[in-house]
Amino acid sequence: MRRPLIIANWKMHKRLDDALHDAVAIKNQVSAVSKCDVAIAPVNVHLKSVADRLEGSGLLVAGQNCAVTNSDGAHTGEVSAEMLRNVGCRLVIVGHSERRTLYGDSDTSINQRVKAAVAAGLAAILCVGESIEERSAGHHLDVVDRQLLIGLNGLTLADAARIIIAYEPVWAIGTGVTATPEQAQEMHGHIRGKLAEMFGNGAAEQIRLIYGGSVKPENISELMSKSDIDGALVGGASLDPSSFASIVNF
Ligand code: PGA
């Protein structure tokens, strides 16, 4: 049985006081819930403070990106997965579409980041998803296949235990347009099939596939009712603690 995972992706939002206040508010509203894993991904500079504030609560802290290497060195502006782990992170988001489109993260560099995360002992949340043009042209399955094949290239069966896939259709991120539960399930089922080809059925059945793209309190239950949807990566609706808590308490 896969344990659901719901993550608040705060992106580049919140000053330190707000981040701490909202993390505690989330903790207070969801701590009684044991039916899913819950994580918060604040900006890097707030990770340690948020992790300290959540210590002992069962809530997890996630990074939003990591460097391609864990070796300390001349990488101005980068933060390694080991450093994230060192300040209390348990997971890291890799290959978010905003990283791919705004900051040039390629499938190859995303693969390096996934490997660095796994090597550091983090769970790597690999984001995949097609643009509206790719879906309209009927290429969405091929695009996601490519992102999976390159993004997970070279990972072992043991590594697969540290992988989470987030399907985030680009056209649904921050737009208010959610993929229908049927569209999301179709892709999640496809992704699980691809993972079975790569790692075998047993591993594919264990890997959590979470959905992201305009998840809200109003649509979480229907999404979660689908057999291959194991959780959610929530952007806009996670910024308000009560809204995020009602998603977690779906
Ligand atoms: P959204 O963002 O919930 O605001 O659509 C999701 C994400 O980008 O992870």
Side-chain angles (χ1 to χ4, degrees), residues 9 11 96 98 168 172-175 212-215 233-237:
N9 177 9
K11 308 191 181 184
H96 190 281
E98 288 149 21
E168 297 206 304
I173 296 176
T175 58
S214 299
V215 173
L233 183 52
V234 188

Side-chain angles (χ1 to χ4, degrees), residues 53-198:
R53 203 57 72 94
L54 294 178
E55 203 179 339
S57 68
L59 267 72
L60 306 171
V61 174
Q64 298 178 10
N65 182 31
C66 66
V68 297
T69 176
N70 283 314
S71 303
D72 287 13
H75 299 282
T76 302
E78 292 296 288
V79 174
S80 73
E82 275 186 7
M83 291 166 176
L84 296 178
R85 169 96 198 211
N86 181 244
V87 295
C89 280
R90 297 275 304 280
L91 316 94
V92 62
I93 300 166
V94 178
H96 190 281
S97 74
E98 288 149 21
R99 297 292 323 166
R100 293 176 187 262
T101 57
L102 301 175
Y103 298 99
D105 290 10
S106 64
D107 284 318
T108 308
S109 88
I110 289 163
N111 175 242
Q112 293 171 314
R113 292 168 212 270
V114 169
K115 286 178 175 161
V118 168
L122 297 179
I125 303 151
L126 171 63
C127 300
V128 298
E130 80 287 354
S131 66
I132 192 64
E133 294 79 16
E134 289 162 339
R135 177 166 280 268
S136 305
H139 296 154
H140 47 295
L141 300 179
D142 295 340
V143 168
V144 168
D145 283 355
R146 187 202 74 228
Q147 292 170 336
L148 288 173
L149 283 173
I150 305 177
L152 300 176
N153 182 40
L155 292 187
T156 65
L157 187 56
D159 296 335
R162 290 203 175 275
I163 297 298
I164 294 155
I165 307 294
Y167 170 55
E168 297 206 304
V170 178
W171 46 272
I173 296 176
T175 58
V177 180
T178 317
T180 65
E182 292 69 32
Q183 284 172 321
Q185 169 57 32
E186 180 205 25
M187 183 62 87
H188 283 225
H190 177 81
I191 291 171
R192 203 175 301 287
K194 206 75 204 163
L195 294 171
E197 284 172 24
M198 297 172 79

Side-chain angles (χ1 to χ4, degrees), residues 35 181 215-226 229 246-247 249-250:
K35 70 179 177 191
V215 173
K216 310 178 253 266
E218 298 77 41
N219 56 28
I220 184 69
S221 297
E222 213 187 343
L223 288 162
M224 291 301 290
S225 71
K226 296 296 179 188
I229 301 181
S246 42
I247 290 172
N249 299 333
F250 73 92

Side-chain angles (χ1 to χ4, degrees), residues 17-46:
D17 285 353
D18 295 328
L20 293 175
H21 172 274
D22 291 355
V24 170
I26 289 170
K27 177 180 87 170
N28 290 339
Q29 292 180 63
V30 307
S31 55
V33 178
S34 58
K35 70 179 177 191
C36 57
D37 290 336
V38 180
I40 300 175
V43 292
N44 282 344
V45 289
H46 301 159

